């Protein structure tokens, strides 16, 4: 891949992994509420800086580096609960999930030739329908000529 394409792929995979980690933390409920709120706030606060628009290469790594440079701390929830924020653990989870995202995308892309073959077959079928002559039988219904063999042993001999 070219440098720009590769960088975009990593950036999108990182963003997708952040979304998956956020969903996973939310599903885990109260135990992970502090981690979820931290990641949500950290991500949305830096969305424009790292994930929007035309910017420099390496933004995905810059995002993760900034998270790794964040010190662990205590955070309070809306309902008065508190918990320890582990930015290193969250970054590790994002990186691991990014590997899963890329594996999922590789599986999808590996099916592209098969998908394209089905699309090309459908396109050819539609083109052939337009090219095949039609005729009317005695009761006025149109029928398509499916196949006419014009070589030796064919219908015109």
């Amino acid at each position: 891949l070219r440098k720009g394409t590769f960088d975009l792929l990593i950036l999108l995979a990182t963003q997708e992994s952040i979304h998956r980690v956020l969903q996973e933390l939310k599903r885990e409920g109260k135990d992970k509420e502090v981690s979820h709120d931290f990641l949500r706030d950290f991500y949305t606060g830096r969305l424009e800086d790292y994930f929007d628009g035309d910017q420099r290469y390496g933004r995905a790594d810059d995002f993760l580096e900034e998270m790794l440079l964040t010190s662990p701390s205590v955070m309070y929830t809306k309902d008065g609960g508190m918990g320890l924020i582990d930015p290193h653990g969250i970054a590790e989870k994002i990186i691991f999930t990014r590997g899963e995202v890329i594996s999922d995308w590789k599986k999808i892309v590996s099916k592209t030739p098969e998908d394209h073959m089905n699309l090309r077959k459908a396109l050819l079928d539609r083109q052939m329908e337009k090219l095949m002559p039609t005729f009317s039988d005695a009761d006025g219904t149109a029928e398509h000529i499916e196949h006419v063999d014009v070589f030796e042993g064919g219908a015109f001999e």
Side-chain angles (χ1 to χ4, degrees):
L1 294 173
R2 292 182 174 182
K3 185 176 180 179
T5 305
F6 179 78
D7 186 66
L8 179 60
L9 178 67
I10 294 298
L11 184 67
L12 292 173
T14 301
Q15 192 169 24
E16 172 64 18
S17 67
I18 292 167
H19 289 206
R20 289 185 186 187
V21 169
L22 280 168
Q23 290 170 353
E24 180 184 330
L25 292 171
K26 189 168 192 153
R27 277 193 306 271
E28 292 179 14
K30 278 278 194 209
D31 294 344
K32 300 294 181 172
E33 184 179 6
V34 171
S35 295
H36 174 270
D37 291 351
F38 166 76
L39 179 56
R40 183 197 60 220
D41 295 344
F42 189 88
Y43 171 62
T44 56
R46 291 155 181 82
L47 193 59
E48 289 181 19
D49 296 335
Y50 294 107
F51 297 100
D52 284 348
D54 188 23
Q55 298 182 18
R56 69 195 178 289
Y57 293 135
R59 292 177 286 161
D61 293 336
D62 293 344
F63 175 84
L64 291 170
E65 181 181 1
E66 185 175 344
M67 181 176 284
L68 289 169
L69 293 173
T70 303
S71 299
S73 61
V74 174
M75 183 175 171
Y76 294 93
T77 61
K78 296 173 194 164
D79 62 357
M82 69 176 210
L84 180 66
I85 299 169
D86 179 17
H88 293 169
I90 294 172
E92 182 180 352
K93 190 175 281 208
I94 291 169
I95 292 168
F96 178 79
T97 305
R98 183 170 66 180
E100 292 175 342
V101 167
I102 291 172
S103 293
D104 291 348
W105 289 354
K106 277 178 63 176
K107 289 175 190 171
I108 292 168
V109 169
S110 71
K111 295 178 184 177
T112 300
E114 182 181 314
D115 293 340
H116 278 237
M117 184 171 57
N118 292 335
L119 288 171
R120 303 236 359 126
K121 182 184 179 310
L123 178 61
L124 179 62
D125 288 346
R126 290 185 87 192
Q127 289 172 338
M128 292 306 292
E129 282 178 7
K130 291 178 184 175
L131 293 176
M132 295 302 288
T134 59
F135 65 94
S136 295
D137 62 6
D139 65 359
T141 60
E143 295 181 13
H144 290 288
I145 299 173
E146 293 296 325
H147 175 74
V148 176
D149 193 353
V150 293
F151 300 105
E152 286 186 29
F156 295 115
E157 237 182 62

